[in-house]
Amino acid sequence: MAISFFRKLSFRFLTISDIKIIGKKIIVGWIVSLIPLIILAGGLFLIIRLLQP
Amino acid sequence: MSLSHTDKVKLKRDIGISALIYAIPVVVLYVYFQFTGAKPWLLPVSPEHSDLPSFFNFIEPYLKQIQTRGFFAIIIILGILEFSLGLYEKKWTKSEKLVDIVCFVAPIFLLIPFTSFHKFVVLPFVLPGLENYFSWVPFWGAFFLIAIADDLTQYWYHRLHHQVPFLWRFHRTHHSAPYMGMAMASRQNFIYTVFFSQIYVTATLIYLGLGPAALLVGVLKGLITLSAHSSIPWDKPFYKYKILHPVAWVLERVISTPATHHAHHADTLDDGVGNYKGNFGNMFFLWDVIFKTGIITRKYPKSYGIKFYKQEEWYAQFLWPIFKSKKEGSELSKSGPEIGGV
């Protein structure tokens, strides 16, 4: 029954191409997240370093 | 299909400008501490924020209520109103209803494992001992820092899903409906939603101690983005009455209004109103102004959606490429065409 349900949903095992596209998407997401985090957290660390007595 | 040389050059230039924009709040904070001589980071790290404005303590419980239940209530109440007033006309077919309802309900449960894993496992592992490390950042500094970090990151995530062809299909569901209203606010492919970059940027900054400011930004952003998607044209009086024109001029360049965001959901560029190739801003329209991706016409498009829509099944729209459409020629079908770049 479960199998027929998934067939009805036209579920297919993810192809290599699908996994690649999801992987590339995740990498883009990471880069988009990491750039601001590095600038902001790095900048705040730098404030402490530069203004340390 | 790939990006043209001109697009690549423009993307690189805009990414460089963005790096400078991200740095602005940090530079301002540096100048502030240099000028005042204050060194709050020398105090012991604490989850308590000593400089919270008095009004914040008063509104904090309300902000929490709005962020947890309020937004759901707004979407449901406005959605019902829109439906009752006939906004969706005959376009809200059984298939569209299913897409809208699944996209609204399912992420409430499905997102929790991902965000919890990031909060309780990833952050303590990647940044051990740094919880509340930046709680010394003054409230208003943290407010502008989070507002820029969160919304500019979302602008880029959104823009790339339109301009990079292989990413488009993850965002297509948000544009496929031939109507515009509250239902659009949550209508997304789940893989698009779960990897929303700004969620993780803001969660990390909250972990580092900027939580109170993030709460205020989150509520303001939610109200602006929901109102930009809704069918309430609250911006129209600003265009109608001459005395309000200067306010409108500033408003439509700073935040997303229903007119500018509805234009982003238009199905054509030919009428001079629709701009699905731009107007990417979520809370701030300012990014579109800076990067020249915005068009302001003060008009609403006549029709919405995408021209090559095949009324794909809800499961394909919600979970492509895990589930694929059976519709022939659909972008979401197995080996479907990669139209992209829209």
Side-chain angles (χ1 to χ4, degrees), chain A residues 8-11 18 25 51, chain B residues 39 157 161 315 323-324:
Chain A
K8 206 177 166 191
L9 289 182
S10 88
F11 175 83
D18 295 332
K25 190 203 157 6
L51 297 178
Chain B
K39 291 181 175 55
Y157 188 78
H161 279 77
Y315 51 83
F323 295 133
K324 296 180 184 71

Side-chain angles (χ1 to χ4, degrees), chain B residues 194-215:
Chain B
V194 82
F195 294 114
F196 249 146
S197 296
Q198 80 282 356
I199 292 179
Y200 300 100
V201 170
T202 303
T204 307
L205 293 171
I206 291 170
Y207 173 82
L208 291 170
L210 308 186
L215 179 62

Side-chain angles (χ1 to χ4, degrees), chain B residues 50-238:
Chain B
S50 54
D51 79 320
L52 286 182
S54 53
F55 82 90
F56 186 82
N57 292 323
F58 174 71
I59 62 169
E60 189 178 13
Y62 300 105
L63 294 177
K64 284 181 176 165
Q65 286 292 328
I66 293 171
Q67 207 171 40
T68 49
R69 297 170 197 170
F71 288 140
F72 286 112
I74 290 170
I75 292 174
I76 290 169
I77 292 167
L78 283 181
I80 291 170
L81 265 175
E82 287 172 346
F83 179 70
S84 315
L85 295 171
L87 174 84
Y88 300 131
E89 297 163 353
K90 288 172 185 167
K91 293 169 185 167
W92 210 35
T93 60
K94 192 182 166 190
S95 159
E96 299 304 338
K97 273 180 206 161
L98 259 173
V99 178
D100 290 344
I101 291 167
V102 169
C103 290
F104 178 63
V105 176
I108 298 169
F109 307 102
L110 295 178
L111 266 178
I112 293 170
F114 291 91
T115 49
S116 302
F117 182 74
H118 179 74
K119 184 178 174 182
F120 298 113
V121 180
V122 176
L123 289 174
F125 179 75
V126 177
L127 302 168
L130 292 181
E131 194 171 3
N132 294 314
Y133 191 76
F134 294 134
S135 59
W136 50 267
V137 176
F139 179 82
W140 287 112
F143 176 83
F144 287 107
L145 190 149
I146 296 260
I148 292 173
D150 186 288
D151 203 56
L152 184 54
T153 302
Q154 188 169 359
Y155 168 86
W156 272 108
Y157 188 78
H158 185 195
R159 178 173 162 181
L160 290 174
H161 279 77
H162 278 270
Q163 296 188 333
V164 179
F166 85 85
L167 290 174
W168 160 247
R169 283 179 282 185
F170 291 104
H171 184 50
R172 185 181 181 277
T173 305
H174 189 60
H175 285 269
S176 60
Y179 45 83
M180 182 67 181
M182 265 304 73
M184 285 311 97
S186 54
R187 181 174 165 134
Q188 297 280 11
N189 176 296
F190 182 68
I191 297 172
Y192 180 87
T193 306
V194 82
F195 294 114
F196 249 146
S197 296
Q198 80 282 356
I199 292 179
Y200 300 100
V201 170
T202 303
T204 307
L205 293 171
I206 291 170
Y207 173 82
L208 291 170
L210 308 186
L215 179 62
L216 184 57
V217 172
V219 170
L220 289 176
K221 182 178 173 176
L223 293 174
I224 291 170
T225 51
L226 283 182
S227 76
H229 280 96
S230 87
S231 53
I232 301 170
W234 62 261
D235 52 341
K236 275 190 176 172
F238 289 94

